[in-house]
């Protein structure tokens, strides 16, 4: 299976699919029931996500997709919290002792996939990590289809599904709501804001700034003031050098235009 790298073309594809996503009218009741189920665990998802700098709704969506929001099992694979995991990945979480709290084990599961290191929690970045969590197998088919793990219950998916490991049935239909559809409905209902807007605005400001360590630019100063507001420790001098570019990358996942790195 070929590696799928996150790049501007893939980011644009995710954004286009999300922007044009239409939830099938007959599925709204089911999708809203999923939303309600995830919302009941919001405080617990926030507890896990805050120290890892990841949005609670990403964790909630993963928990629903992988374990039907069951707080009695490991997020890794659904094994019971009364002991370390038996199935792959076995022997998790590291440290602690049974019985484990869901929060302790969930942080271990997310760190195992190095999600705490992921810098892009904008819509496209979230969709990439959601698809990666399940695997990119649908992109490697002879006739690729949008992954039902993301797009089931929307206009982007009709049929085709891996019914078991390595066995793809082109006529099987996913009965599970797609992760991107859940995210779309969260936003439609204005239940999540903030981090998506923050990253989008940062990227919007950065698109007008060219990497230039020695030349002052008003737009660069505006970007620096915004980055400092978000917690970056950089000098506000209007010169978009490597420290400014690093701070921009920490939020958007990419360096400023013209940065040779």
């Amino acid at each position: 299976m070929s590696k799928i790298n996150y790049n501007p073309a893939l980011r644009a594809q995710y954004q286009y699919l999300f922007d044009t996503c239409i939830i099938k009218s007959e599925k709204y009741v089911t999708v809203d029931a999923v939303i309600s189920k995830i919302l009941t665990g919001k405080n617990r998802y926030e507890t896990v996500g805050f120290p890892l700098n990841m949005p609670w709704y990403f964790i909630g969506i993963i928990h629903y997709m992988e374990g039907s929001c069951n707080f009695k099992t490991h997020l890794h694979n659904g094994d019971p919290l009364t002991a370390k995991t038996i199935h792959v990945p076995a022997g998790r979480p590291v440290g602690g002792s049974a019985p484990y709290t869901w929060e302790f084990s969930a942080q271990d599961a997310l760190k195992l996939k190095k999600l705490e290191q992921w810098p892009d929690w904008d819509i496209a970045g979230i969709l990439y990590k959601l698809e990666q969590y399940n695997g990119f197998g649908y992109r490697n088919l002879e006739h690729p289809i949008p992954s039902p793990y993301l797009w089931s219950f929307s206009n982007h998916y009709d049929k085709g599904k891996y019914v078991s490991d390595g066995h793809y049935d082109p006529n099987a239909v996913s009965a599970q709501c797609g992760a991107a559809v859940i995210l779309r409905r969260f936003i439609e209902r204005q239940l999540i804001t903030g981090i998506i807007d923050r990253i989008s605005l940062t990227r919007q400001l950065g698109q007008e700034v060219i990497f230039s360590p020695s030349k002052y630019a008003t737009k660069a100063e505006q970007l620096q003031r915004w980055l400092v507001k978000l917690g970056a420790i950089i000098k506000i001098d209007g010169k978009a050098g490597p420290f400014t570019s690093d701070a921009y990358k920490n939020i958007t996942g990419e360096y400023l235009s013209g940065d040779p790195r």
Side-chain angles (χ1 to χ4, degrees):
M1 183 180 294
S2 61
K3 183 178 179 181
I4 304 297
N5 292 316
Y6 188 61
N7 55 41
L10 187 59
R11 184 188 304 118
Q13 181 190 86
Y14 280 125
Q15 190 66 55
Y16 173 79
L17 287 170
F18 191 83
D19 291 343
T20 57
C21 175
I22 300 172
I23 300 171
K24 294 178 179 178
S25 58
E26 70 274 15
K27 297 295 186 180
Y28 266 105
V29 172
T30 302
V31 178
D32 281 341
V34 171
I35 295 291
S36 296
K37 193 170 188 177
I38 293 173
L39 284 173
T40 61
K42 179 181 177 181
N43 290 340
R44 303 185 75 169
Y45 301 138
E46 287 178 330
T47 298
V48 170
F50 182 77
L52 301 181
N53 195 33
M54 65 179 66
W56 67 267
Y57 43 87
F58 173 83
I59 301 170
I61 292 172
I62 289 292
H63 194 206
Y64 167 76
M65 298 298 295
E66 300 294 329
S68 298
C69 297
N70 185 347
F71 284 102
K72 295 182 180 180
T73 61
H74 291 286
L75 185 63
H76 306 73
N77 56 18
D79 286 347
L81 290 169
T82 51
K84 288 185 180 292
T85 56
I86 297 174
H87 299 92
V88 177
R92 310 297 298 199
V94 173
S97 58
Y100 298 97
T101 66
W102 181 85
E103 287 78 3
F104 180 83
S105 178
Q107 285 200 348
D108 181 82
L110 297 166
K111 288 180 179 179
L112 182 62
K113 291 184 175 290
K114 299 182 178 179
L115 285 166
E116 83 282 5
Q117 299 177 21
W118 181 244
D120 187 352
W121 294 108
D122 203 348
I123 290 172
I126 289 172
L127 295 181
Y128 174 74
K129 281 301 175 182
L130 286 170
E131 185 170 3
Q132 186 182 61
Y133 206 99
N134 180 249
F136 294 112
Y138 294 97
R139 292 179 176 272
N140 293 287
L141 294 169
E142 183 179 356
H143 301 289
I145 66 169
S147 172
Y149 190 84
L150 292 183
W151 305 108
S152 179
F153 290 16
S154 82
N155 59 316
H156 295 316
Y157 173 76
D158 291 314
K159 62 181 181 178
K161 185 179 184 297
Y162 280 97
V163 294
S164 61
D165 288 346
H167 183 204
Y168 175 72
D169 184 342
N171 294 310
V173 178
S174 173
Q176 184 181 39
C177 180
V181 169
I182 298 171
L183 181 63
R184 173 81 186 194
R185 187 59 176 153
F186 263 120
I187 294 175
E188 285 181 356
R189 292 178 55 183
Q190 299 183 334
L191 294 171
I192 53 176
T193 57
I195 193 164
I196 290 176
D197 298 332
R198 183 189 72 174
I199 296 172
S200 297
L201 181 54
T202 303
R203 183 169 288 126
Q204 180 181 344
L205 291 170
Q207 286 175 347
E208 301 182 56
V209 176
I210 303 297
F211 182 80
S212 182
S214 59
K215 184 178 180 181
Y216 172 85
T218 301
K219 293 292 186 180
E221 182 179 342
Q222 290 175 348
L223 175 63
Q224 288 170 337
R225 292 188 182 280
W226 172 248
L227 291 170
V228 168
K229 185 177 180 181
L230 297 183
I233 302 175
I234 56 174
K235 183 178 180 180
I236 300 175
D237 59 3
K239 299 175 182 179
F243 294 114
T244 301
S245 191
D246 283 340
Y248 179 74
K249 183 178 185 293
N250 286 339
I251 295 174
T252 66
E254 57 190 18
Y255 292 113
L256 289 171
S257 176
D259 190 323
R261 290 176 290 182

